[in-house]
């Protein structure tokens, strides 16, 4: 009988998925190069990273700095040019794409800037599909419960086009957390939202993350959102570095004294 690469990785690690104190995400000497018109182009170089259960990390950087590429490598959606990634003790480099997909269904949730809801499915069906793929019992009941948790019990049977942007992202949060994933990857989760909806989604994201004990990795241009995480790192020339603190606002200039009358 053919052995499951996920099972072999678990045996090597000697741990169960999501054990307390376990490093949920590890990257060692991770790098990514692609071919360019003038030769090889380095996007990421020598990335080392360790995140334990329940930790939250924000990765910031300018557009094109490689943030989304790093997220894809950590989630096993892309393969590195060198180095390795371990997700809940499973070595992603040792798996084929089918095995990595099975692992993601069980252990990972995703939230995207563009929501990524299936347009022909209503809110409950979008969440239920994720619950079924994760192998949950009573997926319909769990889906409704997840939507109620994000305040959408009055939108259970609405299609995505019938929902506001903020409501669509709340459906996406319900979908991501329906199976209480050990790991959540969020790519610009408030990027398409106005200020009020962004604040509401941010509160929900961190409330759900704390309740589930989920390890969160998010990439964002929003420094206020990034500041909600335990740790902030910046991608600079393909390498991770501590994020510089936001400069304090300049003190107002002193007014010149009024001349005597």
């Amino acid at each position: 009988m053919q052995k499951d690469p996920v099972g072999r990785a678990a045996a090597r690690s000697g741990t169960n998925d999501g054990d307390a104190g376990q490093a949920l995400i590890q990257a060692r000497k991770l790098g990514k190069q692609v071919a360019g018109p003038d030769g090889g182009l380095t996007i990421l170089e020598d990335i080392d990273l360790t995140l334990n259960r329940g930790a939250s990390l924000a990765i910031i950087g300018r557009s094109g700095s490689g943030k989304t590429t790093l997220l894809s490598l950590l989630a096993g959606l892309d393969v590195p040019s060198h180095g390795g990634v371990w997700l809940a003790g499973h070595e992603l480099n040792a798996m084929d794409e089918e095995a990595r997909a099975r692992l993601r269904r069980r252990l990972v949730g995703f939230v995207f800037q563009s929501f990524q809801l299936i347009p022909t499915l209503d809110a409950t069906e979008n969440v239920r599909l994720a619950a079924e793929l994760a192998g949950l019992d009573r997926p319909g009941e769990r889906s409704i419960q997840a939507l109620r948790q994000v305040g959408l019990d009055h939108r259970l049977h609405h299609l995505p086009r019938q929902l506001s942007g903020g409501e669509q992202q709340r459906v996406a949060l319900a979908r991501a957390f329906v199976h209480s994933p050990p790991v959540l990857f969020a790519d610009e989760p408030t990027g398409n939202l106005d200020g009020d909806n962004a604040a509401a989604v941010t509160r929900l994201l961190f409330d759900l993350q704390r309740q589930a004990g989920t390890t969160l990795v998010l990439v964002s241009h929003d420094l206020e959102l990034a500041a909600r995480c335990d740790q902030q790192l910046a991608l600079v020339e393909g390498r991770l570095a501590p994020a510089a603190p936001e400069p304090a606002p300049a003190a107002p200039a002193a007014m010149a004294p009024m001349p005597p009358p």
Side-chain angles (χ1 to χ4, degrees):
M1 179 169 49
Q2 186 178 8
K3 293 183 179 179
D4 183 353
V6 174
R8 291 201 301 272
R12 284 196 300 270
S13 72
T15 60
N16 295 321
D17 298 336
D19 281 349
Q22 180 188 359
L24 264 290
I25 301 172
Q26 290 181 296
R28 293 291 176 263
K29 301 298 181 185
L30 194 64
K32 183 69 176 180
Q33 289 83 37
V34 296
D38 301 317
L41 175 65
T42 297
I43 300 174
L44 299 170
E45 186 67 25
D46 288 339
I47 300 293
D48 287 318
L49 186 65
T50 299
L51 284 174
N52 290 331
R53 182 174 180 83
S56 57
L57 168 68
I59 300 171
I60 62 175
R62 60 177 177 78
S63 295
S65 61
K67 301 186 302 298
T68 298
T69 299
L70 177 55
L71 210 66
S72 296
L73 292 176
L74 295 176
L77 295 168
D78 194 4
V79 293
S81 302
H82 60 79
V85 177
W86 288 260
L87 190 61
H90 304 295
E91 185 181 358
L92 299 186
N93 293 25
M95 303 178 187
D96 60 21
E97 173 51 35
E98 183 180 347
R100 293 196 302 270
R102 288 197 300 270
L103 189 70
R104 283 193 298 270
R105 286 196 293 268
R106 290 194 295 112
L107 302 184
V108 177
F110 291 95
V111 179
F112 302 98
Q113 177 177 351
S114 56
F115 318 134
Q116 299 289 349
L117 302 178
I118 298 175
T120 56
L121 300 182
D122 66 26
T124 301
E125 291 166 338
N126 265 281
V127 179
R128 178 172 180 146
L129 179 60
E132 290 174 343
L133 289 173
L136 298 185
D137 294 330
R138 307 184 313 279
E141 179 182 330
R142 297 283 289 272
S143 302
I144 292 171
Q145 180 182 1
L147 286 165
R148 285 175 174 160
Q149 198 169 11
V150 298
L152 288 179
D153 47 322
H154 60 305
R155 295 285 191 266
L156 298 178
H157 303 297
H158 286 63
L159 294 170
R161 68 174 182 272
Q162 298 167 325
L163 301 171
S164 69
E167 288 171 335
Q168 289 185 64
Q169 195 62 303
R170 282 191 277 163
V171 174
L173 284 174
R175 178 183 61 189
F177 280 101
V178 68
H179 61 304
S180 300
V183 178
L184 178 75
F185 295 106
D187 190 353
E188 297 284 2
T190 60
N192 279 351
L193 304 178
D194 61 31
D196 289 343
N197 279 310
V201 165
T202 297
R203 285 193 299 271
L204 278 171
L205 171 62
F206 284 95
D207 285 349
L208 293 168
Q209 182 249 340
R210 283 190 294 270
Q211 291 169 21
T214 296
T215 301
L216 170 65
V217 181
L218 71 84
V219 301
S220 181
H221 292 94
D222 185 340
L223 297 182
E224 290 187 9
L225 174 62
R228 295 284 301 268
C229 291
D230 301 329
Q231 185 180 11
Q232 300 80 36
L233 296 175
L235 262 178
V236 181
E237 296 181 352
R239 297 175 184 267
L240 282 177
E246 291 186 74
M255 294 182 62
M258 295 289 290

